[in-house]
Amino acid sequence: MSEEERARQGRIDSRPRLSEILNLHDFEAVARQVMPEKAWAYYSSAADDEITHRENHAAFHRIWFRPRILRDVTKVDWSTRILGHRSSMPVYITATALGKLGHPDGELNLTRAAAKHGLIQMIPTLASCSFDEIVDAANAAQVLFFQLYVNKDRSITKRIVEHAENRGIKALFITVDAPQLGRREKDMRQKFDAEDPSEVSKAGQGNVDRSQGAARAISSFIDPGLQWADLDWFRSITKMPLILKGVQCWEDTLEAYDRGLAGVVLSNHGGRQLDFARSGVEVLAEVVAKLKEKRGLSFPNERFQLFVDGGVRRATDVIKAVALGATAVGIGRPFLYAYSSYGPNGIDKALQILHEEFEMNMRLLGARTIAEIVPEMVDASNIHTHVVPVPMDNLYEGNYERLLGARLREVKSKL
């Protein structure tokens, strides 16, 4: 065992007791200390100067509540339906790659927790565990979605999509914000030496440059030629509802609606693609206003559902998105940090924390059900203002690991 690994094991032994973890920020703080360096670099990294990564979280701070009072909130219910399927809260576990970097069971931690807590998991194309392993680990009634990176070889994509539908996947989320992967410099400073994701190995595409970090090593198959016309082909090979993941403006959302899709995820890939792309929640406010103006739509809308991901750390973040018209919100990194730092018990605790936050904050807001969380309960008038003073989020800022530039190699003294 190396000196570095021995020190890491010592930090694992010094973790706070799980009962001392009070919020999702705490999991991130512990994960930063106890995860292997390469794993932390992959999970935490974002594009270029990581401005969008931080903005995703900061955008929620520009939305303020307008609570209602004197309502009987003895009983509150934060369950909902996502694409027609029941969920215990307006949250789904969004797709994140390489789950085994943080724990030997990888994505299976999320599958088991989703079953236990009544959530929907979105299986990633680039999971460490195989697709069938994950589906086999789910219980019979469990709802699963699938996130798809479209392969340049459409026969491979067709095989994946048809197999997913045959295994009972309820919706297909097609990633559209990654014609090329962004420069994630924390990750690029590491050499990827973990096992390739199952789908990369199956396609025989694992023989790629592993010197530029995990993201570059596993993504060379993604098709940069994907375009709107390809959606007709997808309709010809599956009956699953189609959702575009990574929409970043109202014009493309309107196009998706007009083409009869089931919805969109307003997302910038967790700040990992185009730096200075706007946050999903800011785009949400724009989309809701424009689609009402252009097509007379109101949200949430069962025919065309809006989802958001990126920067969510509290139930209040989710509640703000729901008030603005989102059906549900995807959470990714915090759940990875939870099981990377405490294993299966960590993800259980993370979901318990969210349930408790929903109960308290819905009472304080005066909303007894998700349907009662309405636009009038938030003030989002500053959402499009990118320079505005708000109180600092010390927990988030304390966890953020600042980017480092190039450094001199260690030089041994001649003395």
Side-chain angles (χ1 to χ4, degrees), residues 96-100 107 123-131 134 147 195-200:
T96 48
L98 299 178
K100 285 187 179 180
E107 295 82 7
I123 301 175
T125 297
L126 296 176
S128 293
C129 300
S130 74
F131 173 83
I134 296 170
Q147 172 269 330
E195 184 181 350
D196 284 325
S198 172
E199 284 303 331
V200 174

Side-chain angles (χ1 to χ4, degrees), residues 20 33 58 65 135 152 157 195 238 240 317 345 365 397:
E20 297 174 44
Q33 296 299 317
F65 286 123
V135 176
K152 295 169 189 171
T157 294
E195 184 181 350
T238 183
M240 288 186 287
D317 299 332
N345 293 334
L365 190 60
E397 292 297 331

Side-chain angles (χ1 to χ4, degrees), residues 256-317:
Y257 171 76
D258 286 345
R259 287 176 177 265
L261 275 71
V264 296
V265 184
L266 304 172
S267 168
N268 52 48
H269 215 102
R272 291 159 78 85
Q273 287 299 100
L274 178 64
D275 207 13
F276 287 92
R278 296 173 303 160
S279 70
V281 74
E282 177 180 345
V283 177
L284 173 66
E286 171 187 278
V287 162
V288 168
K290 285 293 185 178
L291 266 65
K292 182 176 183 180
E293 173 192 329
K294 301 290 184 182
R295 296 293 182 270
L297 298 178
S298 59
F299 293 93
N301 190 298
E302 288 188 13
R303 280 188 56 209
F304 186 75
Q305 300 191 8
L306 302 178
F307 305 99
V308 170
D309 66 30
V312 174
R313 294 296 184 274
R314 296 275 189 181
T316 46
D317 299 332

